[in-house]
Amino acid sequence: MDKKVVFVTGAVRNTGYAIAQRFAKEGWNVCISSRDDASASEAVARLQAEFPQTEFLGLGMDQSYVDQIHAAFAKIEERFGRLDAFVANAAHLAVDYNTFNTTPEMWDSVMNANVRGTFFCSQSAAEIMKKTGGSIVLISSVHANQSITGRVAYSSSKAAINAMMRCMAVELGYLGIRVNALIAGAIWTERWATQSEEITSKRRAQYPAGKESAPEDIAAAVYFLGSDQSPTITGTEMTVDSGISVCLLPYNKNWNQPKE
Ligand SMILES: NC(=O)c1ccc[n+]([C@@H]2O[C@H](COP(=O)([O-])OP(=O)(O)OC[C@H]3O[C@@H](n4cnc5c(N)ncnc54)[C@H](OP(=O)(O)O)[C@@H]3O)[C@@H](O)[C@H]2O)c1
């Protein structure tokens, strides 16, 4: 039987790269995208060295542009003739844009990448998956439901992604296509490597689990949702957030100390 095929967007580094590695490790063929062709090719070379048995396809795609989305999915169909899982990982993070400094251009840029891009990628994925069924996993965020400052456009875009997920789960179920959202909390990325140990410790102390998710932790949950391991899970939000979102007050591990 042909190997299954996954497409992970924005996967040349951080979480997306770990998701690509996980599917390759499980024996799938893997397509990845970057807005930059050269970065996609370079990431494919790294992955190919680690997984010589896997076929990889690197795609240059800025998902703000629907013509680029259509071109990327056409290449996947041409190369593999199937798509079993689609992971919408790419996102414009838009950090430090608040109610006052968010310009119309920034708002559009975030919405075009995160909402429009995620939707039209999912639409193209579903067009290919119609033949065989499949699974769509949209990477969302705790910011969809809770707030810190400077994330107004990003948070709005992730809330839209959650709503989009529910609609598509209902609409695509009869085709054997499942759609779920992975609600991520803090994930270790290259950005964590640039912060001081003091900040890292402070951040970790705020999480009930005591640490941020490793990209591999997110990848494990995405693989669960994206593969046959979860055949009847659709329309759901799976949270992998170190316990951040169930914490009513700023977390303090000393709450747990037994009373004298
Ligand atoms: N890191 C966290 O703590 C955290 C927490 C909750 C949720 N998440 C979500 O998890 C996913 C991965 O996050 P990450 O921190 O690992 O991300 P990241 O690597 O910083 O970003 C993902 C990739 O998206 C692509 N991208 C960025 N802006 C884009 C745009 N305007 N249009 C198209 N592609 C764009 C970039 O790839 P190219 O530059 O190669 O195009 C980037 O590498 C995202 O959906 C994010 O919202 C992250």
Side-chain angles (χ1 to χ4, degrees), residues 84-101:
D84 301 280
F86 169 63
V87 184
N89 172 76
H92 188 327
L93 305 183
V95 179
D96 292 337
Y97 288 95
N98 61 42
T99 302
F100 293 109
N101 70 0

Side-chain angles (χ1 to χ4, degrees), residues 10 12-16 34-36 62-64 88-93 113 139-141 154 158 184-187 189 191:
V12 302
R13 62 180 73 83
N14 298 327
T15 315
S34 166
R35 286 165 297 172
D36 179 45
D62 184 334
Q63 64 188 37
S64 306
N89 172 76
H92 188 327
L93 305 183
I139 308 295
S140 187
S141 167
Y154 176 76
K158 291 296 185 179
I187 309 169
T189 63
R191 294 181 291 279

Side-chain angles (χ1 to χ4, degrees), residues 2 11 18 29 44 72 82 88 91 93 140 146 149 156 167 184 191 203 219 228 257:
D2 286 348
N29 287 329
V44 163
R82 63 186 294 166
L93 305 183
S140 187
Q146 293 148 306
T149 57
S156 304
C167 293
R191 294 181 291 279
R203 290 182 73 177
D228 289 344
Q257 300 305 314

Side-chain angles (χ1 to χ4, degrees), residues 139-157:
I139 308 295
S140 187
S141 167
V142 289
H143 288 281
N145 299 312
Q146 293 148 306
S147 296
I148 57 173
T149 57
R151 295 295 183 96
V152 68
Y154 176 76
S155 300
S156 304
S157 74

Side-chain angles (χ1 to χ4, degrees), residues 42-200:
E42 187 272 330
V44 163
R46 271 186 285 145
L47 288 162
Q48 196 69 73
E50 188 179 353
F51 301 99
Q53 308 299 327
T54 305
E55 272 189 67
F56 292 98
L57 177 61
L59 298 157
M61 179 186 83
D62 184 334
Q63 64 188 37
S64 306
Y65 301 96
V66 175
D67 56 339
Q68 293 192 27
I69 293 174
H70 289 163
F73 278 87
K75 283 182 189 159
I76 293 170
E77 191 156 27
E78 188 187 349
R79 170 80 170 268
F80 295 107
R82 63 186 294 166
L83 184 64
D84 301 280
F86 169 63
V87 184
N89 172 76
H92 188 327
L93 305 183
V95 179
D96 292 337
Y97 288 95
N98 61 42
T99 302
F100 293 109
N101 70 0
T102 299
T103 59
E105 292 74 22
M106 176 54 68
W107 181 269
D108 287 350
S109 172
V110 175
M111 292 298 159
N112 284 341
N114 297 3
V115 183
R116 199 165 178 268
T118 296
F119 174 70
F120 285 102
C121 282
S122 301
Q123 182 189 66
S124 291
E127 285 290 347
I128 305 178
M129 288 176 182
K130 269 178 184 172
K131 291 183 279 189
T132 54
S135 175
I136 295 174
V137 184
L138 309 182
I139 308 295
S140 187
S141 167
V142 289
H143 288 281
N145 299 312
Q146 293 148 306
S147 296
I148 57 173
T149 57
R151 295 295 183 96
V152 68
Y154 176 76
S155 300
S156 304
S157 74
K158 291 296 185 179
I161 282 173
N162 292 355
M164 179 192 308
M165 175 278 291
R166 289 188 287 274
C167 293
M168 291 194 297
V170 170
E171 290 183 2
L172 302 178
Y174 79 102
L175 294 165
I177 301 172
R178 298 183 295 109
V179 191
N180 291 288
L182 191 291
I183 313 294
I187 309 169
W188 194 95
T189 63
E190 293 156 352
R191 294 181 291 279
W192 279 66
T194 63
Q195 75 194 6
S196 69
E197 275 184 32
E198 189 192 351
I199 300 279
T200 298

Side-chain angles (χ1 to χ4, degrees), residues 4 18 52 84 101 115 149 164 207 211 223 236 251:
K4 288 190 169 182
D84 301 280
N101 70 0
V115 183
T149 57
M164 179 192 308
Y207 310 150
K211 59 182 178 183
Y223 184 72
T236 197
Y251 179 69

